[in-house]
Amino acid sequence: MSEHHEPTPLSQTVDRFTRAVHDLCGRTVGWIERDNAANHPAFGASRWRQLVDAATGATGTSHGGHARSLPPIHVDAVDLRVTIDRKVAAWTGTGVGPDTPSRLEVLAGHGWTPGDEAGLDVMTDQLARWCSDIDRLLDPPHRWDLIAPCPACGTSTIYRQDNAGETVRQPALSIADGECVCLHCQTVWGVQHFEHLKRVIDTAAMEG
């Protein structure tokens, strides 16, 4: 009878980190429903490859494997790629691996020891945030602008640079992913606070 070994906190932490590396650098998987109602996997480029393609103006591949055209230079993609490259290089040292996926592969195969869990958790959380950033950047959710002053800072309008480098004007309050955020002061209201937010805005409008 083989002896069963319970996973250790270190092994569980390493597993989470390895999965996070794969989420960034491994192939994406979507599902296609056939005529017989059976679902079949469809593999696409990794989030990292999609980001690189966007940053260089290449043709990206969506989660479902469909090619799509991208602008000649995606400024936000370039910024995010540079941020990731620099951070991963800082984790490993610039002489380790020729690129970010290679460096992360080295980290995933590193001989971690008890006591390394906290550092691994920090990197795992950062990788997860980058994956979310890439998803939002390349497949942005639908957003609604709320035409009203922010209850927290009073700002109604912000000015920002778009992907072409031009200054554009937009309302400060933006709703997406079940939350409202002020793009000026970064105050966030979850969906559970929308009714309160509406009352505050309506009251301010009546007083104005």
Side-chain angles (χ1 to χ4, degrees):
M1 181 177 176
S2 61
E3 183 180 355
H4 178 70
H5 295 283
E6 291 292 332
T8 65
L10 175 62
S11 67
Q12 293 174 331
T13 303
V14 172
D15 284 345
R16 287 195 298 271
F17 175 69
T18 302
R19 287 196 298 271
V21 170
H22 183 270
D23 287 343
L24 179 65
C25 301
R27 290 190 301 173
T28 55
V29 181
W31 295 91
I32 298 175
E33 184 175 340
R34 303 297 187 186
D35 293 338
N36 60 2
N39 289 327
H40 296 271
F43 298 98
S46 68
R47 287 181 172 89
W48 175 254
R49 173 46 54 189
Q50 292 180 52
L51 179 66
V52 170
D53 287 346
T56 56
T59 300
T61 303
S62 180
H63 295 292
H66 301 292
R68 55 196 172 89
S69 298
L70 295 170
I73 296 179
H74 196 313
V75 178
D76 293 335
V78 172
D79 289 344
L80 181 56
R81 181 187 177 180
V82 169
T83 297
I84 296 174
D85 278 336
R86 288 176 176 173
K87 191 65 175 181
V88 173
W91 289 346
T92 61
T94 54
V96 179
D99 54 24
T100 286
S102 300
R103 291 171 185 146
L104 288 173
E105 183 179 352
V106 170
L107 281 176
H110 181 72
W112 301 102
T113 58
D116 292 330
E117 291 87 353
L120 280 165
D121 281 338
V122 169
M123 292 189 292
T124 298
D125 290 345
Q126 183 60 76
L127 288 168
R129 286 193 292 270
W130 286 335
C131 287
S132 296
D133 290 343
I134 292 171
D135 288 345
R136 285 193 296 268
L137 184 65
L138 302 186
D139 190 15
H142 187 68
R143 290 185 175 273
W144 293 268
D145 293 327
L146 186 57
I147 312 300
C150 168
C153 68
T155 302
S156 299
T157 304
I158 65 161
Y159 296 86
R160 64 175 181 83
Q161 283 194 325
D162 63 13
N163 292 334
E166 297 181 355
T167 300
V168 295
R169 175 181 175 178
Q170 73 176 75
L173 294 177
S174 179
I175 299 175
D177 293 336
E179 64 182 24
C180 178
V181 60
C182 174
L183 301 176
H184 178 73
C185 69
Q186 303 304 313
T187 300
V188 177
W189 295 268
V191 66
Q192 69 273 23
H193 301 301
F194 277 11
E195 189 61 34
H196 169 71
L197 179 63
K198 179 180 182 298
R199 287 197 300 269
V200 171
I201 291 174
D202 287 346
T203 300
M206 289 187 293
E207 292 176 349

